[in-house]
Amino acid sequence: MKKVFKRGVMTLSVACVSLILMGTTAVEAKGPLTTEVKTQAVQKTSLTEERINTVLKEAYEKFKDNQEGKNADYIKALAIVDSKMFGITLVTPDGKVYEIGDTKEVVSIQSISKVFTAAKVMQEKGDKFIQEKIGVNATGLPFNSIIAIELHGGSASNPFVNAGAIQSTSWVEAKDSKERWDKIYGNMDDFAGTKLGFNEEVYHSEVNDNKNNQAISKILDARGRMGSDPLEATTVYTKQCSVNVSAHDLGMMAATFANDGVNPKTGKKVLDKKYVPKILAIMATAGLYDNAGDWLYLTGSPAKSGVGGGILAVVPGKLGIGVVSPPLDKFGNSVRGQQAAAYIIDQLGINPLAQ
Ligand code: GLN
């Protein structure tokens, strides 16, 4: 059986603490999906177009019928998204696009947005600011944990859990909420190299039901860690989570990181090159939440997931990977998204830690 998110009482056996924090029910699941892909001895392969196309097709065929996992349902609008949707896009730093499946279908970006807002704050305030004000360590606890803040001296620990993400949003320099939102949205457009859509349905579904995140923002405010009004920042954070992305968009956003912060399609420099490794380091540490260690062990690659079912993975200098598939594992990470990305990295022999 799979472990999935459900609102209610939590009974996960891993860490009682984390359960209390998340307010979710865990349904028993089998082991980590990471066992699906057996990492082979990494061969140095050249990334020919033919090889990329072959591996992409194999990944799609291999995992397309896997129905493991379950759509997030604690945000009601996510429960009704087509769980069969499955698209994979690969983009090389020179802007070549390889894709298969439902690569134009969109889901809400959710937590993947945290990467771009943190990048924006880093660009405006520097990497030390992120490290000192928010943190860059793993919490070892679920992404919406409240107790994690208390356990770590009133700190969010990193910008990719909800606490740190709401903080990042609050620290984007802006005179008001509208300017903050416009900058965050425009920054994601720049990473994607296109104007991204907005999912009103998801936004309204979550903004009326985000009391846990409001509570997080208030605690952080009490600890002097917020850059703007906590509830205003939470609302803008909820908006940024409601931006629509396709596998194609995610592939391009990932490729912007793989290409030293320059969008391969538009040529626009979105993030200073010196900050790219910093953001990728946080992705490696906390991009897949409390499963980040297993993921890194398997792939050696920074990645970020969202409960909408999107995932992006970055192989610096080589490849941006975007996958959309809504059913999630117990950590809130797309099951087929992880499988496909891990398979591609493995089969192309591009694990960055094995070069
Ligand atoms: N908007 C979601 C939330 O705050 C994002 C969570 C996620 O994608 N992990 O709960």
Side-chain angles (χ1 to χ4, degrees):
M1 267 206 308
K2 294 132 210 125
K3 283 180 182 168
V4 294
F5 290 113
K6 281 188 184 168
R7 192 166 277 279
V9 184
M10 186 148 181
T11 55
L12 243 181
S13 59
V14 193
C16 304
V17 187
S18 66
L19 314 187
I20 300 162
L21 321 178
M22 271 196 66
T24 62
T25 303
V27 180
E28 264 316 300
K30 65 181 196 184
L33 60 84
T34 46
T35 53
E36 279 290 326
V37 176
K38 305 241 183 321
T39 305
Q40 303 171 340
V42 176
Q43 310 143 358
K44 309 268 178 198
T45 50
S46 56
L47 287 183
T48 61
E49 289 188 17
E50 192 190 351
R51 184 72 191 136
I52 294 174
N53 276 319
T54 303
V55 169
L56 176 63
K57 193 156 180 289
E58 281 171 9
Y60 183 76
E61 292 301 329
K62 197 168 161 63
F63 303 115
K64 77 172 176 356
D65 297 324
N66 183 359
Q67 292 174 3
E68 281 180 277
K70 189 167 176 286
N71 285 26
D73 56 8
Y74 75 100
I75 300 170
K76 292 177 187 59
L78 300 185
I80 53 169
V81 175
D82 179 9
S83 356
K84 293 203 183 64
M85 192 192 298
F86 185 37
I88 314 171
T89 298
L90 309 179
V91 184
T92 50
D94 60 2
K96 286 209 182 70
V97 177
Y98 305 80
E99 46 194 3
I100 191 162
D102 307 318
T103 57
K104 301 285 184 283
E105 299 290 318
V106 292
V107 293
S108 53
I109 190 167
Q110 297 297 336
S111 273
I112 306 172
S113 66
K114 294 167 176 171
V115 174
F116 307 104
T117 303
K120 186 76 187 164
V121 175
M122 198 176 281
Q123 185 68 51
E124 289 183 345
K125 295 189 180 309
D127 54 315
K128 268 212 169 68
F129 180 88
I130 292 276
Q131 186 169 23
E132 285 165 5
K133 201 80 187 180
I134 301 177
V136 291
N137 283 308
T139 64
L141 291 168
F143 63 77
N144 52 1
S145 171
I146 289 177
I147 205 168
I149 303 168
E150 292 301 307
L151 288 174
H152 298 103
S155 158
S157 290
N158 71 70
F160 298 166
V161 289
N162 289 8
I166 297 167
Q167 259 192 282
S168 296
T169 301
S170 80
W171 285 111
V172 170
E173 289 168 10
K175 63 176 183 311
D176 56 21
S177 189
K178 180 179 180 321
E179 191 184 356
R180 194 180 326 285
W181 165 236
D182 288 346
K183 282 176 79 172
I184 288 172
Y185 197 1
N187 184 52
M188 285 196 272
D189 290 344
D190 286 345
F191 268 94
T194 190
K195 179 81 206 122
L196 299 167
F198 184 77
N199 196 320
E200 291 286 350
E201 198 188 348
V202 166
Y203 174 66
H204 289 294
S205 176
E206 191 175 5
V207 80
N208 293 319
D209 199 15
N210 62 354
K211 292 195 172 56
N212 192 77
N213 285 341
Q214 291 178 24
I216 286 172
S217 75
K218 289 277 198 177
I219 292 169
L220 290 167
D221 192 38
R223 300 305 177 105
R225 290 187 179 266
M226 295 293 284
S228 69
D229 175 79
L231 297 184
E232 177 263 326
T234 306
T235 299
V236 176
Y237 162 79
T238 306
K239 273 189 191 165
Q240 76 178 46
C241 288
S242 308
V243 166
N244 274 333
V245 282
S246 62
H248 182 93
D249 298 324
L250 291 173
M252 200 56 80
M253 293 165 117
T256 301
F257 282 112
N259 191 36
D260 293 333
V262 177
N263 183 294
K265 185 169 122 189
T266 62
K268 180 165 181 175
K269 190 179 95 178
V270 188
L271 180 64
D272 280 356
K273 185 177 172 173
K274 67 179 177 187
Y275 293 137
V276 170
K278 303 289 185 197
I279 293 293
L280 295 184
I282 312 173
M283 281 167 68
T285 304
L288 266 61
Y289 314 113
D290 33 338
N291 197 40
D294 276 317
W295 169 260
L296 192 64
Y297 194 72
L298 183 72
T299 65
S301 304
K304 185 75 201 81
S305 63
V307 292
I311 185 166
L312 61 75
V314 180
V315 180
K318 297 211 167 87
L319 203 61
I321 303 174
V323 190
V324 163
S325 171
L328 310 177
D329 66 9
K330 64 177 176 175
F331 302 103
N333 301 321
S334 167
V335 173
R336 288 186 300 188
Q338 290 173 88
Q339 288 175 324
Y343 181 84
I344 289 163
I345 291 164
D346 182 52
Q347 292 298 309
L348 290 177
I350 53 174
N351 177 333
L353 302 184
Q355 302 306 302

